[in-house]
Amino acid sequence: DADVTQTPRNRITKTGKRIMLECSQTKGHDRMYWYRQDPGLGLRLIYYSFDVKDINKGEISDGYSVSRQAQAKFSLSLESAIPNQTALYFCATSVRGPNYGYTFGSGTRLTVV
Amino acid sequence: AQTVTQSQPEMSVQEAETVTLSCTYDTSESDYYLFWYKQPPSRQMILVIRQEAYKQQNATENRFSVNFQKAAKSFSLKISDSQLGDAAMYFCATSYGKLTFGQGTILTVHP
């Protein structure tokens, strides 16, 4: 099994729908992150959590919310999806400080039509 | 705030040749780390190499090496003896608490 599991792998949804992307990890890492990847923009941070009771906004948090249900689970929600939220979304984990890099999930390709 | 710039949207190389991918960054921190990630068509993010900013010696991992110029805030990746499996998107990133990524460079390897 993968260390960081994202579900679903691909999803098509309609404008205005609420959608949740889920992430679970078996690494035992405290820190978890949500990024989105867009062509020409690289990966940009949406939200991050350094432990279960710690949630922080990243550089592009508008239109998104998160929930850290447990150390191992970190979900990203789009309350009312819009077409410009079409992107590849990554969940990642790290030990205290990403000095050894992150462990990434395999990504969720989200299309909003 | 940290910023990372990859000025080469696309690069190509012949198999067995050497290619260098460029990256510049800006940070006000003194203790940080730099990374190169590879993203093949499978879209998995794979750590290629990391560099600790306080170490002057350039990191090397097999065919991959970096040229770290701290004063110039430059962190380029050199791939030697390029292989078809090296074809991918490459991201440069810097960290101080959180990873900040560049825009990516698509590398094509020609047989």
Side-chain angles (χ1 to χ4, degrees), chain A residues 9-10 33 35 37 40 42-43 45 48 50 88 90 98-102 104-107 109, chain B residues 33 35 37 39 42-47 50 89 91 95-104:
Chain A
R9 180 166 173 81
N10 300 289
Y33 311 81
Y35 284 86
Q37 180 181 348
L43 281 76
L45 184 62
Y48 62 101
F50 283 175
L88 181 57
F90 282 101
N99 302 336
Y100 288 87
Y102 287 1
F104 284 86
S106 57
R109 170 88 53 198
Chain B
Y33 293 76
F35 305 86
Y37 280 89
Q39 186 183 50
S42 67
R43 79 192 194 200
Q44 186 66 42
M45 295 288 286
I46 302 166
L47 178 62
R50 64 186 285 269
M89 174 80 84
F91 290 102
S95 81
Y96 184 78
K98 307 172 294 298
L99 277 178
T100 300
F101 289 86
Q103 301 88 338

Side-chain angles (χ1 to χ4, degrees), chain B residues 1 3 13 17-18 22 24 26 28 33 35 38 40 45 49 54 62-63 70-71 88 92 96-97 105 107-108 110:
Chain B
T3 60
V13 64
E17 297 295 312
T18 296
S22 300
T24 58
D26 192 19
S28 57
Y33 293 76
F35 305 86
K38 170 185 178 181
M45 295 288 286
I49 199 165
Y54 62 87
N62 300 313
R63 297 183 294 107
K70 189 172 184 178
C92 176
Y96 184 78
T105 297
L107 177 66
T108 302
H110 298 289

